[in-house]
Amino acid sequence: MYKRIITFVSLICISATISTTAFAVEQQAGVAMPDSYSADVAASILSKGGNAVDAAIAAQFVLAVTLPEAGNIGGGGFMLVHTDKQDDFIDYREVAPLKGHRDMYLDDKGNVIDNKSVFGVLSAGVPGTVAGMWLAHKKYGSLPWKSLLEPAVVLAEKGFVVHPKLAKNVSWYLDYLQKKDIKVNFAEFFGAMKAGEVFKQPVLASSLQRIRDEGSDGFYKGKTADIIVNFMKQQGGLISHQDLAQYQAVSRKPISQPWQGYQVLTSPPPSSGGIAILQWLNMYQQLAPSKGEAALVHNSKEYVHLLSEIGKRVFADRADYLGDPDFYPVPVKQLLDENYLKKRAGDVDLLAISTTEQVKPGLYESEDTTHFSIVDKWGNAVANTTTINLTFGSGVVVPEAGFILNDEMDDFSAKPGVANAFGALGGKANEIQPRKRMLSSMTPTILLKDKQVALVTGSPGGTTIISSVYQSILNVTEFGMSADEAVNSPRFHHQLYPENVIRHHSGLKSEDKKALQQMGYTLDNRHFGDVHLIINENGKLDAGSEAHGRGKALVLR
Ligand code: GLY
């Protein structure tokens, strides 16, 4: 890719020997994607000589067409990039509109108004996806921007065949809106989707064409911006021309920490996920009995309990200390300090549950976001997680632009002590301020070994993302699983509140479940996440996409 970056920037002389680095030998490339359309397009970009970032950009726009639950141009995300020359974290998280304010979801008695931060135009942050892809392209792209947008334009214009799981999600969402008596325009645009039939989105195709032809200005300025702002004015929304024109995706330094012979590259604030997984992995390493006879059995009662106890401490820190680092001094170094984590791990009881206060559980049954992992033949990697927050975001489609608006404002803390849709708490660090980024759990992560990519992983799932990511890492590094095993092995999640509740996938052994219940845990059997992971062993790739979703993983030989 180094050669490719320079090709794009075209400032430095290129010689045929410039890539004689760790990646001089071309290796296998691979993609692990949340649907077949994004997988096929990403693979085709890589086969045409595009790099991992080219493939990621094309896939991101395809997902805006074929995975409307979470793929988007109306949302945001994080792209973690590793090349042989640098590591980069492209933060294209949404921001609060300029007219947003701390108490915007409270009534005059100071209580949080039901549903206001999760449905409708007021729940939307200023979208960041197009700016994020544009920044990634400017920094790392090697193929023309237009060629990266074209597959998405064609899929929107000519249509794509609706997967039964997508049709099921749409039908579930329509029922859900009806039961809750939520008045949004989702049904007008997606109500006609039927499994196995071709679904066309001509209005979205026109929006994508403007992005294709004008780059990021095709979204933040001109016709699309006018459409968004007019719609906001009609509906009482807040996003203005100024919000759109001022939006900036930013490059941040990824968190990079050694762990068990790997270098873990992961997501810095405004993600909470990078700090969380490193705290989890570090405390696990301190507390898990060493390998051999005493080693913990994967998903045993002891394993689930230990990781749940650690989770309590991780989520307590998340609630108090994490927010947008441009607005709040997040103590990253202290939270990852070896002595701090020793102290934190010190009071974990391996046999009993520590006490927590009682609070309300999360309110909603749906959660989404989507993730993909890509490695190219030069050994560069992208882990990209993108979201409109809950499944189908705010439920609002911008009518003349054809895309769904996010409901990411719910990821802020509307009021201290009041849980958001994911049951997560927050305070000052994550209160609403104009232009501030809301705290995220998205955790695109890459592990390096001897400076080579060893593992690329990530998942959707709100706060459960963090558990999906750290468990996918342990599955590979501690338990030697293949990519397919690592993504499909049952997972569990504990986040401090609701008190002593462990959410888990089907597949835990009944004797372990019984023992956990006897310890005092309540078990909540609900699937979460959709992990897409690539393992690299000396240039030989193994890619896996979780079978529960509609993903597709490919290794290109
Ligand atoms: N909207 C989910 C997250 O960013 O954590």
Side-chain angles (χ1 to χ4, degrees), residues 93 369 387 389 408 411 422 440-442 462 465:
R93 183 74 163 157
T369 297
T387 185
N389 197 25
E408 217 71 63
D411 273 348
F422 299 114
S440 174
S441 299
M442 290 185 289
I465 290 172

Side-chain angles (χ1 to χ4, degrees), residues 211 288 299:
I211 297 166
N299 280 355

Side-chain angles (χ1 to χ4, degrees), residues 357-483:
E357 291 162 29
Q358 184 83 41
V359 291
K360 278 198 295 180
L363 298 173
Y364 294 92
E365 302 111 61
S366 88
E367 62 209 5
D368 230 301
T369 297
T370 187
H371 172 86
F372 57 79
S373 298
I374 300 178
V375 175
D376 68 24
K377 62 184 177 184
W378 299 279
N380 309 299
V382 166
N384 186 81
T385 312
T386 184
T387 185
I388 43 176
N389 197 25
L390 301 180
T391 305
F392 302 112
S394 63
V396 174
V397 179
V398 180
E400 289 169 60
F403 68 85
I404 300 177
L405 280 168
N406 68 81
D407 59 348
E408 217 71 63
M409 292 295 284
D410 190 63
D411 273 348
F412 278 117
S413 168
K415 184 181 174 180
V418 177
N420 75 356
F422 299 114
L425 298 174
K428 185 145 189 65
N430 191 32
E431 70 185 15
I432 303 169
Q433 284 177 256
R435 299 191 71 187
K436 186 176 175 181
R437 284 162 153 84
M438 53 297 281
L439 185 62
S440 174
S441 299
M442 290 185 289
T443 317
T445 296
I446 297 171
L447 266 61
L448 306 179
K449 193 155 205 168
D450 303 326
K451 302 200 170 145
Q452 302 266 8
V453 169
L455 179 70
V456 188
T457 186
S459 176
T463 46
T464 67
I465 290 172
I466 296 167
S467 293
S468 292
V469 171
Y470 88 76
Q471 282 167 47
S472 72
I473 292 171
L474 290 177
N475 287 351
V476 175
T477 60
E478 290 282 295
F479 298 99
M481 292 186 195
S482 68

Side-chain angles (χ1 to χ4, degrees), residues 88-149:
D88 196 359
F89 180 80
I90 295 183
D91 168 359
Y92 57 100
R93 183 74 163 157
E94 303 92 323
V95 299
L98 288 162
K99 288 199 185 121
H101 57 90
R102 193 191 63 183
D103 298 335
M104 64 187 277
Y105 299 115
L106 304 186
D107 64 16
D108 46 16
K109 293 199 180 75
N111 297 318
V112 175
I113 302 166
D114 270 355
N115 295 330
K116 201 172 174 185
S117 63
V118 283
F119 294 108
V121 285
L122 278 176
S123 66
V126 182
T129 294
V130 178
M133 295 307 109
W134 187 242
L135 178 61
H137 175 67
K138 288 283 172 198
K139 291 186 82 171
Y140 304 107
S142 71
L143 296 182
W145 173 255
K146 286 189 179 190
S147 69
L148 304 179
L149 264 291

Side-chain angles (χ1 to χ4, degrees), residues 18-286:
I18 203 154
S19 62
T20 50
T21 62
F23 303 125
V25 180
E26 288 185 0
Q27 59 172 42
Q28 290 179 328
V31 302
M33 314 297 289
D35 78 356
S36 64
Y37 295 102
S38 55
D40 293 343
V41 166
S44 128
I45 297 281
L46 294 175
S47 316
K48 283 182 195 146
N51 62 39
V53 173
D54 294 319
I57 294 167
Q60 171 83 34
F61 286 112
V62 164
L63 290 168
V65 180
T66 61
L67 201 134
E69 300 101 314
N72 68 83
I73 54 173
F78 299 137
M79 183 189 285
L80 179 63
V81 181
H82 167 77
T83 76
D84 57 336
K85 289 288 172 274
Q86 62 181 326
D87 300 313
D88 196 359
F89 180 80
I90 295 183
D91 168 359
Y92 57 100
R93 183 74 163 157
E94 303 92 323
V95 299
L98 288 162
K99 288 199 185 121
H101 57 90
R102 193 191 63 183
D103 298 335
M104 64 187 277
Y105 299 115
L106 304 186
D107 64 16
D108 46 16
K109 293 199 180 75
N111 297 318
V112 175
I113 302 166
D114 270 355
N115 295 330
K116 201 172 174 185
S117 63
V118 283
F119 294 108
V121 285
L122 278 176
S123 66
V126 182
T129 294
V130 178
M133 295 307 109
W134 187 242
L135 178 61
H137 175 67
K138 288 283 172 198
K139 291 186 82 171
Y140 304 107
S142 71
L143 296 182
W145 173 255
K146 286 189 179 190
S147 69
L148 304 179
L149 264 291
E150 202 52 34
V153 170
V154 171
L155 284 163
E157 210 168 33
K158 308 249 184 269
F160 69 99
V161 178
V162 175
H163 193 286
K165 287 182 180 170
L166 169 55
K168 197 169 150 211
N169 288 342
V170 168
S171 141
W172 168 82
Y173 191 63
L174 292 171
D175 282 353
Y176 180 71
L177 292 174
Q178 203 171 21
K179 266 190 217 130
K180 293 207 147 249
D181 196 25
I182 303 289
K183 304 271 184 274
V184 286
N185 65 3
F186 177 82
E188 285 169 45
F189 293 84
F190 291 93
M193 268 192 170
K194 286 210 171 49
E197 290 190 3
V198 172
F199 185 72
K200 297 182 184 175
Q201 299 170 83
V203 183
L204 177 60
S206 301
S207 296
L208 290 166
Q209 274 161 2
R210 288 191 287 279
I211 297 166
R212 178 194 66 192
D213 299 341
E214 298 161 41
S216 127
D217 284 354
F219 184 85
Y220 294 96
K221 295 182 180 162
K223 185 164 177 180
T224 305
D226 289 346
I227 290 171
I228 297 170
V229 174
N230 287 340
F231 182 60
M232 288 286 151
K233 283 184 185 151
Q234 278 166 25
Q235 301 287 315
L238 301 183
I239 298 173
S240 64
H241 276 296
Q242 200 185 350
D243 280 311
L244 294 169
Q246 284 183 354
Y247 180 84
Q248 283 200 319
V250 291
S251 264
R252 299 187 191 274
K253 206 165 166 263
I255 294 179
S256 177
Q257 286 244 321
W259 176 77
Q260 300 280 66
Y262 295 93
Q263 194 68 24
V264 180
L265 295 179
T266 187
S267 311
S271 169
S272 60
I275 290 172
I277 65 156
L278 282 165
Q279 289 191 327
W280 229 306
L281 293 173
N282 181 303
M283 287 192 257
Y284 174 80
Q285 193 187 333
Q286 289 182 47

